[in-house]
Amino acid sequence: MTLAERLRVALDAAHAEGPVLLPGDHFDFDPEVRGSPAAVLIAVTDRPDPGVILTRRTETLRRHAGQVAFPGGRIDPGEGPIDAALREAEEEVGLPRAQVQVVGTADRYRTVTGYDVTPVVGVVPPDLQLVPSEAEVAAVFEAPLSFLLDHANHRQASALYQGRERHYYEILWDNHRIWGATAAMIVNLSRRLRWTA
C-alpha cells in the first residue's frame, strides 16, 4: 500500500475520539458562527520515514511572527480549501501544486483569532527544492510524521492572553517549538490517523 493510500484509509476511518477543543480557547466567539475561511497544506514527504513540511514565519509579520506553521492562508472568493492550500504552498515555499497528491481534508480547526481552518493532507516527493518567500517565511524544515503524531510528544500548556488563561498544545522537535493552532491541528490529525510507523 502506498503512503497516499495509507493516509487516505486512515483519514476515512471513524474517529476514535473527537477533535480537540481546548478549554479557554473558544469563549470569545460563538462556535456556531463560521469564522474567516482558511486552509493549510499538511505536505507529507513520500519516504520510508515520512516527514511533514513546516515553515517558520518571519519576525516581521504582523501576526504570529516567528511561529512554526503549515503553509497556508485565507481562502479567496471562488476558491475551495484544496485550491487555497495548494496556492498558498506554492506562494510561500515554491511547492509546485502538480507535485502534490491530495489525499483529503482533516478536521477543521477554529483559531482563537477567528479563522476556520481546513487542513488539506497531501503527499509530495522527498527532497523537493523549496524556496521560501522572503516576505513571509524565514525557514522551511521537515519534521518526522511519526514524531509529530506520537501522543507522548504532545505537551499541554497554558498562558495568560488578554487577561485570560489560554490552554494550548506544544510539540518540541529539533529546536523548533510547534504550538498553538499548528500543534492543535497535529493533535487532531494524530487522533484521526492513529498512525503507526
Side-chain angles (χ1 to χ4, degrees):
M1 189 179 291
T2 67
L3 175 60
E5 289 168 341
R6 287 181 67 199
L7 287 167
R8 189 170 289 114
V9 166
L11 272 179
D12 289 344
H15 274 287
E17 51 185 317
V20 64
L21 186 68
L22 298 177
D25 282 353
H26 292 72
F27 50 68
D28 287 335
F29 51 79
D30 182 347
E32 298 301 315
V33 176
R34 186 173 167 87
S36 300
V40 297
L41 180 64
I42 302 178
V44 181
T45 56
D46 194 357
R47 59 173 89 244
D49 184 12
V52 175
I53 294 171
L54 291 160
T55 70
R56 184 167 49 78
R57 295 163 63 85
T58 62
E59 297 290 346
T60 55
L61 290 173
R62 190 168 53 88
R63 286 178 179 260
H64 311 296
Q67 290 186 12
V68 171
F70 296 114
R74 289 179 190 238
I75 297 175
D76 287 341
E79 245 182 355
I82 292 172
D83 288 335
L86 296 177
R87 173 183 54 75
E88 287 283 348
E90 201 163 40
E91 291 173 1
E92 290 183 14
V93 299
L95 175 55
R97 64 187 72 204
Q99 294 284 352
V100 183
Q101 183 181 359
V102 174
V103 172
T105 58
D107 299 292
R108 291 188 355 232
Y109 185 78
R110 180 73 181 263
T111 72
V112 73
T113 50
Y115 286 96
D116 191 344
V117 184
T118 300
V120 175
V121 180
V123 173
V124 299
D127 306 316
L128 288 172
Q129 295 301 308
L130 302 177
V131 181
S133 164
E134 290 183 13
E136 296 182 76
V137 178
V140 182
F141 65 96
E142 186 178 327
L145 178 67
S146 58
F147 184 93
L148 295 179
L149 299 184
D150 187 342
H151 292 254
N153 299 320
H154 303 163
R155 296 173 37 178
Q156 293 193 52
S158 63
L160 284 178
Y161 176 74
Q162 296 182 343
R164 291 175 173 163
E165 187 176 33
R166 300 280 188 181
H167 297 261
Y168 60 91
Y169 278 103
E170 66 179 3
I171 301 166
L172 305 177
W173 180 79
D174 193 31
N175 297 317
H176 296 286
R177 178 179 180 238
I178 305 162
W179 69 287
T182 302
M185 285 185 269
I186 291 170
V187 170
N188 279 346
L189 193 63
S190 74
R191 293 178 173 192
R192 184 75 173 269
L193 296 181
R194 301 188 295 276
W195 190 257
T196 54

